[in-house]
Amino acid sequence: AQSVTQPDIHITVSEGASLELRCNYSYGATPYLFWYVQSPGQGLQLLLKYFSGDTLVQGIKGFEAEFKRSQSSFNLRKPSVHWSDAAEYFCAVGARNTGNQFYFGTGTSLTVIP
Amino acid sequence: IAGITQAPTSQILAAGRRMTLRCTQDMRHNAMYWYRQDLGLGLRLIHYSNTAGTTGKGEVPDGYSVSRANTDDFPLTLASAVPSQTSVYFCASSDSLNMAGMDTQYFGPGTRLTVL
């Protein structure tokens, strides 16, 4: 079965520092991978997604993610964090053989300190 | 552009009562979904619908039912609410052009439900 693991429940970074949020997936074939962001009291918004091709994917708000098949990972990065990036971040995997079902990780909460 | 609307925004409900959470989208998306979000568990799929007239069970369907009479609406019903159904509920939709798990999902603002 498909699954997604986000090992870090909570991360705190200083504004201007670099950020990396970890995501590991379990899936038998090439997965479809997504990162979503949830601001407080809001629904989720897509940051970026990977289907195939270039393993480094660019998203909105200056985020990028790299697919590493050998490590079953899809880590999210940002070179310089802004205070407005404070939010909950979810990694998700889409499954080819189960229609439109998606599996979300448990999320990583990001705090940005001035 | 409204996107997805959910109602109510929040609700406190006595155990045993029936409750319907409403979800409407104006993007003409084929697929719609209901998730519940619980601390430490992330989002879990309750039910989904790939197209009007069809529905399917997700990861945690027990105690919930859905219907999809038309493209725009996808209500979620709790027939007899229990305290373990206290959660934040999110509705989402996607284009579902190929129904192969590739679609971007668009989420509503959520409904916070408390069952006492």
PDB file of all heavy atoms in Angstrom, chain B residues 15-50:
ATOM      1  N   ALA B  15     -23.959  14.124  20.419  1.00  0.00           N
ATOM      2  CA  ALA B  15     -23.793  12.749  19.952  1.00  0.00           C
ATOM      3  C   ALA B  15     -25.156  12.140  19.634  1.00  0.00           C
ATOM      4  O   ALA B  15     -26.148  12.389  20.333  1.00  0.00           O
ATOM      5  CB  ALA B  15     -23.072  11.918  21.001  1.00  0.00           C
ATOM      6  N   GLY B  16     -25.189  11.385  18.549  1.00  0.00           N
ATOM      7  CA  GLY B  16     -26.422  10.751  18.122  1.00  0.00           C
ATOM      8  C   GLY B  16     -27.210  11.554  17.099  1.00  0.00           C
ATOM      9  O   GLY B  16     -28.121  11.008  16.456  1.00  0.00           O
ATOM     10  N   ARG B  17     -26.880  12.815  16.949  1.00  0.00           N
ATOM     11  CA  ARG B  17     -27.592  13.644  15.982  1.00  0.00           C
ATOM     12  C   ARG B  17     -27.075  13.420  14.574  1.00  0.00           C
ATOM     13  O   ARG B  17     -25.941  12.999  14.356  1.00  0.00           O
ATOM     14  CB  ARG B  17     -27.436  15.134  16.348  1.00  0.00           C
ATOM     15  CG  ARG B  17     -28.009  15.513  17.690  1.00  0.00           C
ATOM     16  CD  ARG B  17     -29.509  15.303  17.735  1.00  0.00           C
ATOM     17  NE  ARG B  17     -30.217  16.169  16.824  1.00  0.00           N
ATOM     18  CZ  ARG B  17     -30.691  17.367  17.161  1.00  0.00           C
ATOM     19  NH1 ARG B  17     -30.490  17.850  18.369  1.00  0.00           N
ATOM     20  NH2 ARG B  17     -31.364  18.088  16.286  1.00  0.00           N
ATOM     21  N   ARG B  18     -27.906  13.713  13.627  1.00  0.00           N
ATOM     22  CA  ARG B  18     -27.553  13.620  12.212  1.00  0.00           C
ATOM     23  C   ARG B  18     -27.037  14.970  11.744  1.00  0.00           C
ATOM     24  O   ARG B  18     -27.535  16.014  12.148  1.00  0.00           O
ATOM     25  CB  ARG B  18     -28.795  13.234  11.411  1.00  0.00           C
ATOM     26  CG  ARG B  18     -28.579  13.095   9.917  1.00  0.00           C
ATOM     27  CD  ARG B  18     -29.905  12.800   9.226  1.00  0.00           C
ATOM     28  NE  ARG B  18     -29.765  12.657   7.785  1.00  0.00           N
ATOM     29  CZ  ARG B  18     -29.525  11.508   7.184  1.00  0.00           C
ATOM     30  NH1 ARG B  18     -29.395  10.402   7.901  1.00  0.00           N
ATOM     31  NH2 ARG B  18     -29.414  11.438   5.865  1.00  0.00           N
ATOM     32  N   MET B  19     -26.011  14.944  10.894  1.00  0.00           N
ATOM     33  CA  MET B  19     -25.413  16.199  10.426  1.00  0.00           C
ATOM     34  C   MET B  19     -24.962  16.043   8.985  1.00  0.00           C
ATOM     35  O   MET B  19     -24.391  15.004   8.624  1.00  0.00           O
ATOM     36  CB  MET B  19     -24.195  16.548  11.296  1.00  0.00           C
ATOM     37  CG  MET B  19     -23.442  17.787  10.853  1.00  0.00           C
ATOM     38  SD  MET B  19     -24.395  19.272  11.228  1.00  0.00           S
ATOM     39  CE  MET B  19     -23.450  20.509  10.338  1.00  0.00           C
ATOM     40  N   THR B  20     -25.239  17.050   8.176  1.00  0.00           N
ATOM     41  CA  THR B  20     -24.749  17.061   6.802  1.00  0.00           C
ATOM     42  C   THR B  20     -23.839  18.260   6.594  1.00  0.00           C
ATOM     43  O   THR B  20     -24.234  19.395   6.865  1.00  0.00           O
ATOM     44  CB  THR B  20     -25.914  17.109   5.794  1.00  0.00           C
ATOM     45  OG1 THR B  20     -26.665  15.893   5.900  1.00  0.00           O
ATOM     46  CG2 THR B  20     -25.377  17.233   4.368  1.00  0.00           C
ATOM     47  N   LEU B  21     -22.639  17.971   6.161  1.00  0.00           N
ATOM     48  CA  LEU B  21     -21.693  19.023   5.795  1.00  0.00           C
ATOM     49  C   LEU B  21     -21.814  19.259   4.295  1.00  0.00           C
ATOM     50  O   LEU B  21     -21.763  18.318   3.504  1.00  0.00           O
ATOM     51  CB  LEU B  21     -20.260  18.605   6.147  1.00  0.00           C
ATOM     52  CG  LEU B  21     -20.025  18.126   7.575  1.00  0.00           C
ATOM     53  CD1 LEU B  21     -18.546  17.842   7.795  1.00  0.00           C
ATOM     54  CD2 LEU B  21     -20.549  19.109   8.585  1.00  0.00           C
ATOM     55  N   ARG B  22     -21.912  20.519   3.935  1.00  0.00           N
ATOM     56  CA  ARG B  22     -22.135  20.848   2.534  1.00  0.00           C
ATOM     57  C   ARG B  22     -20.855  21.285   1.850  1.00  0.00           C
ATOM     58  O   ARG B  22     -19.986  21.916   2.465  1.00  0.00           O
ATOM     59  CB  ARG B  22     -23.198  21.940   2.416  1.00  0.00           C
ATOM     60  CG  ARG B  22     -24.539  21.532   3.013  1.00  0.00           C
ATOM     61  CD  ARG B  22     -25.610  22.583   2.794  1.00  0.00           C
ATOM     62  NE  ARG B  22     -25.314  23.861   3.425  1.00  0.00           N
ATOM     63  CZ  ARG B  22     -25.536  24.122   4.703  1.00  0.00           C
ATOM     64  NH1 ARG B  22     -26.044  23.198   5.500  1.00  0.00           N
ATOM     65  NH2 ARG B  22     -25.262  25.324   5.197  1.00  0.00           N
ATOM     66  N   CYS B  23     -20.760  20.940   0.589  1.00  0.00           N
ATOM     67  CA  CYS B  23     -19.600  21.302  -0.219  1.00  0.00           C
ATOM     68  C   CYS B  23     -20.079  21.598  -1.638  1.00  0.00           C
ATOM     69  O   CYS B  23     -20.764  20.759  -2.237  1.00  0.00           O
ATOM     70  CB  CYS B  23     -18.571  20.180  -0.234  1.00  0.00           C
ATOM     71  SG  CYS B  23     -17.193  20.480  -1.364  1.00  0.00           S
ATOM     72  N   THR B  24     -19.688  22.750  -2.151  1.00  0.00           N
ATOM     73  CA  THR B  24     -20.057  23.141  -3.507  1.00  0.00           C
ATOM     74  C   THR B  24     -18.846  23.728  -4.209  1.00  0.00           C
ATOM     75  O   THR B  24     -18.130  24.538  -3.633  1.00  0.00           O
ATOM     76  CB  THR B  24     -21.188  24.192  -3.490  1.00  0.00           C
ATOM     77  OG1 THR B  24     -22.338  23.641  -2.842  1.00  0.00           O
ATOM     78  CG2 THR B  24     -21.551  24.604  -4.910  1.00  0.00           C
ATOM     79  N   GLN B  25     -18.656  23.299  -5.458  1.00  0.00           N
ATOM     80  CA  GLN B  25     -17.562  23.856  -6.253  1.00  0.00           C
ATOM     81  C   GLN B  25     -18.119  24.425  -7.555  1.00  0.00           C
ATOM     82  O   GLN B  25     -19.096  23.930  -8.085  1.00  0.00           O
ATOM     83  CB  GLN B  25     -16.498  22.789  -6.527  1.00  0.00           C
ATOM     84  CG  GLN B  25     -17.015  21.503  -7.153  1.00  0.00           C
ATOM     85  CD  GLN B  25     -16.659  21.313  -8.601  1.00  0.00           C
ATOM     86  OE1 GLN B  25     -16.096  22.184  -9.260  1.00  0.00           O
ATOM     87  NE2 GLN B  25     -16.981  20.133  -9.140  1.00  0.00           N
ATOM     88  N   ASP B  26     -17.442  25.469  -8.031  1.00  0.00           N
ATOM     89  CA  ASP B  26     -17.914  26.129  -9.255  1.00  0.00           C
ATOM     90  C   ASP B  26     -16.885  26.029 -10.371  1.00  0.00           C
ATOM     91  O   ASP B  26     -16.893  26.829 -11.316  1.00  0.00           O
ATOM     92  CB  ASP B  26     -18.280  27.583  -8.960  1.00  0.00           C
ATOM     93  CG  ASP B  26     -17.089  28.414  -8.514  1.00  0.00           C
ATOM     94  OD1 ASP B  26     -15.960  27.869  -8.426  1.00  0.00           O
ATOM     95  OD2 ASP B  26     -17.276  29.605  -8.222  1.00  0.00           O
ATOM     96  N   MET B  27     -15.998  25.059 -10.275  1.00  0.00           N
ATOM     97  CA  MET B  27     -14.936  24.907 -11.267  1.00  0.00           C
ATOM     98  C   MET B  27     -15.252  23.811 -12.276  1.00  0.00           C
ATOM     99  O   MET B  27     -14.427  23.533 -13.155  1.00  0.00           O
ATOM    100  CB  MET B  27     -13.617  24.595 -10.534  1.00  0.00           C
ATOM    101  CG  MET B  27     -13.181  25.717  -9.604  1.00  0.00           C
ATOM    102  SD  MET B  27     -11.716  25.323  -8.633  1.00  0.00           S
ATOM    103  CE  MET B  27     -12.433  24.282  -7.370  1.00  0.00           C
ATOM    104  N   ARG B  28     -16.412  23.176 -12.141  1.00  0.00           N
ATOM    105  CA  ARG B  28     -16.837  22.093 -13.032  1.00  0.00           C
ATOM    106  C   ARG B  28     -15.858  20.918 -13.008  1.00  0.00           C
ATOM    107  O   ARG B  28     -15.690  20.208 -13.999  1.00  0.00           O
ATOM    108  CB  ARG B  28     -17.025  22.593 -14.476  1.00  0.00           C
ATOM    109  CG  ARG B  28     -17.933  23.800 -14.610  1.00  0.00           C
ATOM    110  CD  ARG B  28     -19.321  23.523 -14.034  1.00  0.00           C
ATOM    111  NE  ARG B  28     -20.051  22.512 -14.812  1.00  0.00           N
ATOM    112  CZ  ARG B  28     -21.209  21.986 -14.434  1.00  0.00           C
ATOM    113  NH1 ARG B  28     -21.759  22.341 -13.284  1.00  0.00           N
ATOM    114  NH2 ARG B  28     -21.811  21.103 -15.192  1.00  0.00           N
ATOM    115  N   HIS B  29     -15.239  20.711 -11.854  1.00  0.00           N
ATOM    116  CA  HIS B  29     -14.335  19.575 -11.716  1.00  0.00           C
ATOM    117  C   HIS B  29     -15.116  18.275 -11.628  1.00  0.00           C
ATOM    118  O   HIS B  29     -16.183  18.209 -10.999  1.00  0.00           O
ATOM    119  CB  HIS B  29     -13.481  19.736 -10.451  1.00  0.00           C
ATOM    120  CG  HIS B  29     -12.398  20.745 -10.605  1.00  0.00           C
ATOM    121  ND1 HIS B  29     -11.653  21.183  -9.515  1.00  0.00           N
ATOM    122  CD2 HIS B  29     -11.903  21.386 -11.680  1.00  0.00           C
ATOM    123  CE1 HIS B  29     -10.752  22.054  -9.948  1.00  0.00           C
ATOM    124  NE2 HIS B  29     -10.888  22.192 -11.247  1.00  0.00           N
ATOM    125  N   ASN B  30     -14.558  17.229 -12.231  1.00  0.00           N
ATOM    126  CA  ASN B  30     -15.230  15.934 -12.179  1.00  0.00           C
ATOM    127  C   ASN B  30     -15.130  15.280 -10.809  1.00  0.00           C
ATOM    128  O   ASN B  30     -16.080  14.692 -10.323  1.00  0.00           O
ATOM    129  CB  ASN B  30     -14.631  14.987 -13.226  1.00  0.00           C
ATOM    130  CG  ASN B  30     -15.041  15.358 -14.627  1.00  0.00           C
ATOM    131  OD1 ASN B  30     -16.159  15.806 -14.855  1.00  0.00           O
ATOM    132  ND2 ASN B  30     -14.147  15.174 -15.567  1.00  0.00           N
ATOM    133  N   ALA B  31     -13.948  15.332 -10.211  1.00  0.00           N
ATOM    134  CA  ALA B  31     -13.710  14.577  -8.981  1.00  0.00           C
ATOM    135  C   ALA B  31     -13.843  15.456  -7.743  1.00  0.00           C
ATOM    136  O   ALA B  31     -13.437  16.622  -7.743  1.00  0.00           O
ATOM    137  CB  ALA B  31     -12.316  13.956  -9.018  1.00  0.00           C
ATOM    138  N   MET B  32     -14.399  14.870  -6.703  1.00  0.00           N
ATOM    139  CA  MET B  32     -14.501  15.558  -5.416  1.00  0.00           C
ATOM    140  C   MET B  32     -14.161  14.597  -4.292  1.00  0.00           C
ATOM    141  O   MET B  32     -14.272  13.373  -4.450  1.00  0.00           O
ATOM    142  CB  MET B  32     -15.901  16.148  -5.227  1.00  0.00           C
ATOM    143  CG  MET B  32     -16.251  17.206  -6.271  1.00  0.00           C
ATOM    144  SD  MET B  32     -17.797  18.059  -5.975  1.00  0.00           S
ATOM    145  CE  MET B  32     -17.360  19.144  -4.594  1.00  0.00           C
ATOM    146  N   TYR B  33     -13.743  15.167  -3.165  1.00  0.00           N
ATOM    147  CA  TYR B  33     -13.215  14.364  -2.062  1.00  0.00           C
ATOM    148  C   TYR B  33     -13.645  14.961  -0.727  1.00  0.00           C
ATOM    149  O   TYR B  33     -13.831  16.165  -0.615  1.00  0.00           O
ATOM    150  CB  TYR B  33     -11.672  14.363  -2.082  1.00  0.00           C
ATOM    151  CG  TYR B  33     -11.047  14.173  -3.433  1.00  0.00           C
ATOM    152  CD1 TYR B  33     -10.929  15.233  -4.320  1.00  0.00           C
ATOM    153  CD2 TYR B  33     -10.565  12.926  -3.824  1.00  0.00           C
ATOM    154  CE1 TYR B  33     -10.356  15.069  -5.567  1.00  0.00           C
ATOM    155  CE2 TYR B  33      -9.984  12.752  -5.074  1.00  0.00           C
ATOM    156  CZ  TYR B  33      -9.886  13.828  -5.938  1.00  0.00           C
ATOM    157  OH  TYR B  33      -9.314  13.658  -7.169  1.00  0.00           O
ATOM    158  N   TRP B  34     -13.719  14.089   0.273  1.00  0.00           N
ATOM    159  CA  TRP B  34     -13.863  14.538   1.644  1.00  0.00           C
ATOM    160  C   TRP B  34     -12.734  13.951   2.474  1.00  0.00           C
ATOM    161  O   TRP B  34     -12.474  12.743   2.426  1.00  0.00           O
ATOM    162  CB  TRP B  34     -15.194  14.076   2.248  1.00  0.00           C
ATOM    163  CG  TRP B  34     -16.327  15.000   1.983  1.00  0.00           C
ATOM    164  CD1 TRP B  34     -17.364  14.818   1.111  1.00  0.00           C
ATOM    165  CD2 TRP B  34     -16.562  16.262   2.617  1.00  0.00           C
ATOM    166  NE1 TRP B  34     -18.213  15.885   1.157  1.00  0.00           N
ATOM    167  CE2 TRP B  34     -17.754  16.788   2.076  1.00  0.00           C
ATOM    168  CE3 TRP B  34     -15.890  16.998   3.589  1.00  0.00           C
ATOM    169  CZ2 TRP B  34     -18.287  18.019   2.473  1.00  0.00           C
ATOM    170  CZ3 TRP B  34     -16.408  18.223   3.992  1.00  0.00           C
ATOM    171  CH2 TRP B  34     -17.612  18.720   3.430  1.00  0.00           C
ATOM    172  N   TYR B  35     -12.062  14.825   3.218  1.00  0.00           N
ATOM    173  CA  TYR B  35     -11.000  14.430   4.130  1.00  0.00           C
ATOM    174  C   TYR B  35     -11.362  14.887   5.545  1.00  0.00           C
ATOM    175  O   TYR B  35     -12.063  15.862   5.732  1.00  0.00           O
ATOM    176  CB  TYR B  35      -9.676  15.113   3.771  1.00  0.00           C
ATOM    177  CG  TYR B  35      -9.069  14.707   2.457  1.00  0.00           C
ATOM    178  CD1 TYR B  35      -9.377  15.385   1.284  1.00  0.00           C
ATOM    179  CD2 TYR B  35      -8.154  13.667   2.393  1.00  0.00           C
ATOM    180  CE1 TYR B  35      -8.795  15.034   0.078  1.00  0.00           C
ATOM    181  CE2 TYR B  35      -7.563  13.299   1.184  1.00  0.00           C
ATOM    182  CZ  TYR B  35      -7.891  13.996   0.041  1.00  0.00           C
ATOM    183  OH  TYR B  35      -7.312  13.642  -1.150  1.00  0.00           O
ATOM    184  N   ARG B  36     -10.795  14.186   6.504  1.00  0.00           N
ATOM    185  CA  ARG B  36     -10.796  14.695   7.870  1.00  0.00           C
ATOM    186  C   ARG B  36      -9.349  14.914   8.292  1.00  0.00           C
ATOM    187  O   ARG B  36      -8.447  14.158   7.912  1.00  0.00           O
ATOM    188  CB  ARG B  36     -11.535  13.776   8.834  1.00  0.00           C
ATOM    189  CG  ARG B  36     -11.021  12.357   8.957  1.00  0.00           C
ATOM    190  CD  ARG B  36     -11.793  11.585  10.013  1.00  0.00           C
ATOM    191  NE  ARG B  36     -11.515  12.058  11.379  1.00  0.00           N
ATOM    192  CZ  ARG B  36     -12.158  11.667  12.458  1.00  0.00           C
ATOM    193  NH1 ARG B  36     -13.136  10.776  12.362  1.00  0.00           N
ATOM    194  NH2 ARG B  36     -11.848  12.138  13.651  1.00  0.00           N
ATOM    195  N   GLN B  37      -9.149  15.984   9.046  1.00  0.00           N
ATOM    196  CA  GLN B  37      -7.810  16.323   9.518  1.00  0.00           C
ATOM    197  C   GLN B  37      -7.772  16.277  11.023  1.00  0.00           C
ATOM    198  O   GLN B  37      -8.522  16.989  11.701  1.00  0.00           O
ATOM    199  CB  GLN B  37      -7.392  17.710   9.033  1.00  0.00           C
ATOM    200  CG  GLN B  37      -5.957  18.077   9.422  1.00  0.00           C
ATOM    201  CD  GLN B  37      -5.553  19.445   8.935  1.00  0.00           C
ATOM    202  OE1 GLN B  37      -6.362  20.342   8.757  1.00  0.00           O
ATOM    203  NE2 GLN B  37      -4.260  19.627   8.691  1.00  0.00           N
ATOM    204  N   ASP B  38      -6.900  15.444  11.545  1.00  0.00           N
ATOM    205  CA  ASP B  38      -6.749  15.274  12.984  1.00  0.00           C
ATOM    206  C   ASP B  38      -5.291  15.451  13.363  1.00  0.00           C
ATOM    207  O   ASP B  38      -4.396  15.011  12.620  1.00  0.00           O
ATOM    208  CB  ASP B  38      -7.237  13.891  13.413  1.00  0.00           C
ATOM    209  CG  ASP B  38      -8.683  13.650  13.019  1.00  0.00           C
ATOM    210  OD1 ASP B  38      -9.551  14.278  13.640  1.00  0.00           O
ATOM    211  OD2 ASP B  38      -8.938  12.856  12.093  1.00  0.00           O
ATOM    212  N   LEU B  39      -5.065  16.058  14.498  1.00  0.00           N
ATOM    213  CA  LEU B  39      -3.708  16.347  14.949  1.00  0.00           C
ATOM    214  C   LEU B  39      -2.889  15.068  14.998  1.00  0.00           C
ATOM    215  O   LEU B  39      -3.305  14.073  15.584  1.00  0.00           O
ATOM    216  CB  LEU B  39      -3.756  16.997  16.328  1.00  0.00           C
ATOM    217  CG  LEU B  39      -2.453  17.621  16.827  1.00  0.00           C
ATOM    218  CD1 LEU B  39      -2.043  18.763  15.913  1.00  0.00           C
ATOM    219  CD2 LEU B  39      -2.608  18.108  18.263  1.00  0.00           C
ATOM    220  N   GLY B  40      -1.734  15.115  14.358  1.00  0.00           N
ATOM    221  CA  GLY B  40      -0.836  13.970  14.363  1.00  0.00           C
ATOM    222  C   GLY B  40      -1.165  12.894  13.342  1.00  0.00           C
ATOM    223  O   GLY B  40      -0.381  11.953  13.167  1.00  0.00           O
ATOM    224  N   LEU B  41      -2.293  13.038  12.674  1.00  0.00           N
ATOM    225  CA  LEU B  41      -2.701  12.026  11.694  1.00  0.00           C
ATOM    226  C   LEU B  41      -2.776  12.589  10.277  1.00  0.00           C
ATOM    227  O   LEU B  41      -3.014  11.842   9.329  1.00  0.00           O
ATOM    228  CB  LEU B  41      -4.058  11.444  12.076  1.00  0.00           C
ATOM    229  CG  LEU B  41      -4.108  10.693  13.401  1.00  0.00           C
ATOM    230  CD1 LEU B  41      -5.530  10.245  13.701  1.00  0.00           C
ATOM    231  CD2 LEU B  41      -3.174   9.478  13.380  1.00  0.00           C
ATOM    232  N   GLY B  42      -2.625  13.888  10.127  1.00  0.00           N
ATOM    233  CA  GLY B  42      -2.690  14.485   8.803  1.00  0.00           C
ATOM    234  C   GLY B  42      -4.087  14.429   8.229  1.00  0.00           C
ATOM    235  O   GLY B  42      -5.082  14.430   8.962  1.00  0.00           O
ATOM    236  N   LEU B  43      -4.160  14.358   6.923  1.00  0.00           N
ATOM    237  CA  LEU B  43      -5.453  14.257   6.237  1.00  0.00           C
ATOM    238  C   LEU B  43      -5.717  12.813   5.845  1.00  0.00           C
ATOM    239  O   LEU B  43      -4.849  12.145   5.284  1.00  0.00           O
ATOM    240  CB  LEU B  43      -5.466  15.115   4.970  1.00  0.00           C
ATOM    241  CG  LEU B  43      -5.751  16.592   5.155  1.00  0.00           C
ATOM    242  CD1 LEU B  43      -4.523  17.321   5.631  1.00  0.00           C
ATOM    243  CD2 LEU B  43      -6.259  17.198   3.859  1.00  0.00           C
ATOM    244  N   ARG B  44      -6.913  12.374   6.125  1.00  0.00           N
ATOM    245  CA  ARG B  44      -7.315  11.018   5.745  1.00  0.00           C
ATOM    246  C   ARG B  44      -8.574  11.090   4.895  1.00  0.00           C
ATOM    247  O   ARG B  44      -9.539  11.769   5.249  1.00  0.00           O
ATOM    248  CB  ARG B  44      -7.539  10.156   6.984  1.00  0.00           C
ATOM    249  CG  ARG B  44      -6.257   9.871   7.763  1.00  0.00           C
ATOM    250  CD  ARG B  44      -6.536   9.036   8.999  1.00  0.00           C
ATOM    251  NE  ARG B  44      -7.318   9.786   9.986  1.00  0.00           N
ATOM    252  CZ  ARG B  44      -7.889   9.243  11.059  1.00  0.00           C
ATOM    253  NH1 ARG B  44      -7.784   7.946  11.274  1.00  0.00           N
ATOM    254  NH2 ARG B  44      -8.578  10.004  11.907  1.00  0.00           N
ATOM    255  N   LEU B  45      -8.543  10.362   3.801  1.00  0.00           N
ATOM    256  CA  LEU B  45      -9.653  10.377   2.850  1.00  0.00           C
ATOM    257  C   LEU B  45     -10.839   9.599   3.393  1.00  0.00           C
ATOM    258  O   LEU B  45     -10.705   8.440   3.791  1.00  0.00           O
ATOM    259  CB  LEU B  45      -9.192   9.790   1.516  1.00  0.00           C
ATOM    260  CG  LEU B  45     -10.192   9.803   0.377  1.00  0.00           C
ATOM    261  CD1 LEU B  45     -10.530  11.222  -0.046  1.00  0.00           C
ATOM    262  CD2 LEU B  45      -9.646   9.001  -0.806  1.00  0.00           C
ATOM    263  N   ILE B  46     -12.009  10.220   3.377  1.00  0.00           N
ATOM    264  CA  ILE B  46     -13.222   9.576   3.869  1.00  0.00           C
ATOM    265  C   ILE B  46     -13.974   8.916   2.708  1.00  0.00           C
ATOM    266  O   ILE B  46     -14.223   7.712   2.705  1.00  0.00           O
ATOM    267  CB  ILE B  46     -14.138  10.597   4.564  1.00  0.00           C
ATOM    268  CG1 ILE B  46     -13.396  11.309   5.701  1.00  0.00           C
ATOM    269  CG2 ILE B  46     -15.391   9.903   5.109  1.00  0.00           C
ATOM    270  CD1 ILE B  46     -14.175  12.473   6.294  1.00  0.00           C
ATOM    271  N   HIS B  47     -14.370   9.733   1.762  1.00  0.00           N
ATOM    272  CA  HIS B  47     -15.041   9.275   0.541  1.00  0.00           C
ATOM    273  C   HIS B  47     -14.590  10.139  -0.617  1.00  0.00           C
ATOM    274  O   HIS B  47     -14.127  11.255  -0.422  1.00  0.00           O
ATOM    275  CB  HIS B  47     -16.560   9.382   0.674  1.00  0.00           C
ATOM    276  CG  HIS B  47     -17.201   8.355   1.529  1.00  0.00           C
ATOM    277  ND1 HIS B  47     -17.353   7.034   1.145  1.00  0.00           N
ATOM    278  CD2 HIS B  47     -17.744   8.455   2.769  1.00  0.00           C
ATOM    279  CE1 HIS B  47     -17.963   6.372   2.105  1.00  0.00           C
ATOM    280  NE2 HIS B  47     -18.212   7.197   3.106  1.00  0.00           N
ATOM    281  N   TYR B  48     -14.763   9.615  -1.813  1.00  0.00           N
ATOM    282  CA  TYR B  48     -14.462  10.399  -2.991  1.00  0.00           C
ATOM    283  C   TYR B  48     -15.479  10.087  -4.084  1.00  0.00           C
ATOM    284  O   TYR B  48     -16.243   9.122  -3.991  1.00  0.00           O
ATOM    285  CB  TYR B  48     -13.040  10.109  -3.498  1.00  0.00           C
ATOM    286  CG  TYR B  48     -12.831   8.704  -4.000  1.00  0.00           C
ATOM    287  CD1 TYR B  48     -12.939   8.394  -5.355  1.00  0.00           C
ATOM    288  CD2 TYR B  48     -12.530   7.676  -3.115  1.00  0.00           C
ATOM    289  CE1 TYR B  48     -12.754   7.100  -5.804  1.00  0.00           C
ATOM    290  CE2 TYR B  48     -12.354   6.378  -3.559  1.00  0.00           C
ATOM    291  CZ  TYR B  48     -12.463   6.092  -4.903  1.00  0.00           C
ATOM    292  OH  TYR B  48     -12.284   4.809  -5.337  1.00  0.00           O
ATOM    293  N   SER B  49     -15.471  10.931  -5.103  1.00  0.00           N
ATOM    294  CA  SER B  49     -16.356  10.738  -6.245  1.00  0.00           C
ATOM    295  C   SER B  49     -15.590  11.147  -7.499  1.00  0.00           C
ATOM    296  O   SER B  49     -15.142  12.282  -7.613  1.00  0.00           O
ATOM    297  CB  SER B  49     -17.608  11.598  -6.101  1.00  0.00           C
ATOM    298  OG  SER B  49     -18.349  11.620  -7.304  1.00  0.00           O
ATOM    299  N   ASN B  50     -15.432  10.231  -8.415  1.00  0.00           N
ATOM    300  CA  ASN B  50     -14.696  10.523  -9.643  1.00  0.00           C
ATOM    301  C   ASN B  50     -15.544  11.263 -10.671  1.00  0.00           C
ATOM    302  O   ASN B  50     -15.009  11.933 -11.559  1.00  0.00           O
ATOM    303  CB  ASN B  50     -14.135   9.248 -10.254  1.00  0.00           C
ATOM    304  CG  ASN B  50     -12.919   8.730  -9.500  1.00  0.00           C
ATOM    305  OD1 ASN B  50     -12.199   9.500  -8.864  1.00  0.00           O
ATOM    306  ND2 ASN B  50     -12.695   7.433  -9.550  1.00  0.00           N
TER     307      ASN B  50
END
